[in-house]
Amino acid sequence: MKQYDHPCAADFTVTQILHALSDPFRLSIVRRLAVLQPQPCAPLQAGRPKSSVSHHFAVLRAAGVLRTEVVGVTHMNSLREPELDSRFPGLLAAILAACAVENRDDEAELNPFVATQPA
Amino acid sequence: MKQYDHPCAADFTVTQILHALSDPFRLSIVRRLAVLQPQPCAPLQAGRPKSSVSHHFAVLRAAGVLRTEVVGVTHMNSLREPELDSRFPGLLAAILAACAVENRDDEAELNPFVATQPA
DNA sequence: CCAATAGTTCGATAATAGTGGAACTATTAG
DNA sequence: CTAATAGTTCCACTATTATCGAACTATTGG
């Protein structure tokens, strides 16, 4: 039964976290996990080869963004939200909120009739 | 009289901003500017060759993080805080706050007698 | 034990980013 | 006009990251 190394919260660094989240694919993984958690890797692959997906998960783990727990044959991922928030309060929330803003733009672009007024 | 291109706030992207700020040198520039603003490039060089400094400023400009205004012979830099905040509310603040946390650690490491209690 | 599943690790290659010297540009001071 | 200043641009080089196939590992189901 193999498990993973996860840095402890005190060792998280701002630059490592920002770098981990500055990649569109990795950021999309984090956004999905923020909504539905925990989740195995497979549904987040988005058509990429497994080795590439595995690499991006490793980057996110190393930055402390997520935790991977081996549960039977699947590896369950969850955001390390409590630890992230205790170390850097509000950081993850602000980034996710920023993604939501960006996403709202995309919807507006696809369909100009929605989302001119927020609600 | 040459001026620079600055993207407009609506074109800022989360990944570009996070990437721009994921470099320690660039992040240090932003942290200095957050305190003392506007400022020319020279005092922020930290001993690096000018071409390298110029490159990092260009990355920050392209991401929308700062604005460079040609004022006489110097180029004055300032954070685009209002625009950043209107586009991604709280994002810059959260990142700067996270830096402050990290910095507090460093001080504690250098001198264990201060900073065990915040004040 | 065997096959299937889920994901990792390795290794080569490609792409992206950072570095730093040298020549260049714009502005001001003399 | 000339020199000095502040920074940019260009270019070659290095270093870091990402990509993806193939072989590997751990776990479960039959």
Side-chain angles (χ1 to χ4, degrees):
Chain A
M1 172 155 92
K2 158 167 197 205
Q3 293 294 353
Y4 292 88
D5 279 347
H6 296 99
C8 67
D11 295 332
F12 296 175
T13 68
V14 176
T15 50
Q16 223 183 339
I17 292 174
L18 296 186
H19 170 253
L21 299 180
S22 71
D23 177 89
F25 178 54
R26 288 194 294 259
L27 190 53
S28 80
I29 290 172
V30 169
R31 297 212 285 140
R32 295 285 222 86
L33 284 179
V35 175
L36 186 56
Q37 201 179 8
Q39 224 178 135
C41 304
L44 302 161
Q45 289 200 179
R48 289 175 198 240
K50 297 200 289 181
S51 51
S52 181
V53 173
S54 203
H55 161 68
H56 289 295
F57 271 97
V59 171
L60 289 167
R61 264 196 307 269
V65 174
L66 55 78
R67 178 185 305 283
T68 307
E69 219 81 67
V70 178
V71 175
V73 77
T74 74
H75 298 197
M76 284 308 226
N77 301 287
S78 41
L79 291 186
R80 296 183 64 184
E81 218 168 333
E83 290 108 314
L84 282 167
D85 214 57
S86 79
R87 171 94 169 119
F88 299 127
L91 181 59
L92 183 62
I95 292 171
L96 289 173
C99 292
V101 166
E102 220 173 51
N103 211 44
R104 190 148 47 77
D105 291 359
D106 297 349
E107 282 164 26
E109 212 169 289
L110 290 171
N111 181 354
F113 295 97
V114 259
T116 28
Q117 302 292 76
Chain B
M1 172 155 92
K2 158 165 198 206
Q3 295 293 352
Y4 291 88
D5 279 348
H6 295 98
C8 66
D11 294 333
F12 296 174
T13 68
V14 176
T15 50
Q16 224 183 337
I17 291 174
L18 296 186
H19 171 253
L21 299 180
S22 71
D23 178 89
F25 178 54
R26 288 195 293 260
L27 190 54
S28 80
I29 290 172
V30 169
R31 297 212 285 140
R32 296 283 222 87
L33 284 179
V35 174
L36 186 56
Q37 202 179 9
Q39 223 178 137
C41 303
L44 302 162
Q45 289 199 180
R48 290 175 196 240
K50 298 200 289 181
S51 51
S52 180
V53 174
S54 203
H55 162 69
H56 288 295
F57 272 97
V59 171
L60 289 167
R61 264 197 306 270
V65 174
L66 56 79
R67 177 185 305 285
T68 307
E69 219 80 67
V70 178
V71 175
V73 77
T74 74
H75 298 196
M76 284 309 227
N77 302 286
S78 41
L79 291 186
R80 297 182 64 183
E81 218 169 333
E83 289 108 315
L84 282 167
D85 214 57
S86 80
R87 171 96 169 118
F88 299 127
L91 181 59
L92 182 62
I95 293 170
L96 290 173
C99 292
V101 166
E102 221 174 50
N103 211 44
R104 190 148 46 78
D105 290 357
D106 296 349
E107 282 163 26
E109 212 169 290
L110 289 171
N111 180 353
F113 295 98
V114 259
T116 27
Q117 303 292 78

